[in-house]
Amino acid sequence: DGGITQSPKYLFRKEGQNVTLSCEQNLNHDAMYWYRQDPGQGLRLIYYSQIVNDFQKGDIAEGYSVSREKKESFPLTVTSAQKNPTAFYLCASEIGGGYTFGSGTRLTVV
Amino acid sequence: DAKTTQPNSMESNEEEPVHLPCNHSTISGTDYIHWYRQLPSQGPEYVIHGLTSNVNNRMASLAIAEDRKSSTLILHRATLRDAAVYYCILIRSGAGSYQLTFGKGTKLSVIP
């Protein structure tokens, strides 16, 4: 079955560390997105990519970086510059306005 | 982007119908009304969408007001598995880049 896979499901980061969250899709969708969700809040857009080798900043891109070397993959790196990274991170792919979301990665700073 | 307004929370008894309202008074003619729901610790999942006419699928029905300034998601018989946060979102046709704006949604509690 086609879908989006995010890994790991849970991730713990020490202060000052960079960590990378994986997002893979086999839906053949061109567009992919990364969102951040804090408790009791809606989703906020971090980065998005409409095509391979191209990506754009969203509303809260500071402290994050992405790459889009393959259509299937859109990894997100949370850098040490992100001062409050503890959150639930969601990856999505989209075609024609229809979104498919992954099951999320919960990142905790320890 | 056009904005939507939803109640923060609603309750329903199990096996009763649920009507989840959404106001979108600034909707434009090319905005589609989408509903997603998010179960705890999961990513949002698509529920239903429509433009002008009422829509039905196996999950729910969507009733759209004649002036399109409001809509209602209808779950015909709520089950415990329907307890989730429901988001009403407008997506503009032909915009080229669909950056969804999720508000806080409506948290639906289902009482056994």
Side-chain angles (χ1 to χ4, degrees), chain A residues 10-97:
Chain A
Y10 298 96
L11 186 58
F12 297 90
R13 189 193 94 168
K14 293 182 180 179
E15 296 275 357
Q17 266 186 343
N18 292 354
V19 290
T20 297
L21 283 59
S22 170
C23 178
E24 303 278 331
Q25 55 106 352
N26 60 3
L27 299 165
N28 201 34
H29 289 173
D30 285 317
M32 296 186 74
Y33 302 76
W34 273 105
Y35 288 90
R36 169 182 171 140
Q37 188 174 36
D38 293 285
Q41 303 295 314
L43 281 66
R44 292 186 289 169
L45 182 65
I46 304 172
Y47 267 98
Y48 66 100
S49 169
Q50 293 182 277
I51 199 167
V52 173
N53 292 323
D54 185 55
F55 47 83
Q56 307 294 330
K57 291 182 179 180
D59 300 321
I60 55 165
E62 185 175 349
Y64 300 97
S65 66
V66 293
S67 63
R68 189 83 187 277
E69 297 176 2
K70 299 186 299 182
K71 188 175 187 177
E72 301 79 16
S73 179
F74 191 39
L76 173 75
T77 297
V78 184
T79 75
S80 56
Q82 171 50 240
K83 297 307 176 190
N84 185 23
T86 295
F88 189 48
Y89 290 86
L90 286 159
C91 179
S93 71
E94 171 267 322
I95 188 165

Side-chain angles (χ1 to χ4, degrees), chain B residues 34-101:
Chain B
H34 285 241
W35 284 82
Y36 283 77
R37 72 178 186 182
Q38 187 176 21
L39 280 66
S41 296
Q42 298 284 328
E45 64 173 344
Y46 168 83
V47 178
I48 201 167
H49 78 281
L51 183 63
T52 56
S53 303
N54 294 345
V55 184
N56 300 298
N57 67 20
R58 63 175 180 81
M59 289 179 74
S61 296
L62 177 61
I64 301 172
E66 201 167 324
D67 63 5
R68 299 208 328 123
K69 294 186 176 182
S70 65
S71 62
T72 302
L73 178 71
I74 303 166
L75 307 178
H76 294 287
R77 287 180 71 225
T79 70
L80 296 178
R81 288 175 295 178
D82 291 323
V85 178
Y86 287 78
Y87 297 99
C88 170
I89 301 159
L90 301 181
I91 299 180
R92 185 154 296 170
S93 172
S97 170
Y98 301 98
Q99 302 166 43
L100 297 185
T101 300

Side-chain angles (χ1 to χ4, degrees), chain B residues 25-39:
Chain B
S25 57
T26 59
I27 192 170
S28 79
T30 55
D31 285 339
Y32 281 78
I33 302 159
H34 285 241
W35 284 82
Y36 283 77
R37 72 178 186 182
Q38 187 176 21
L39 280 66

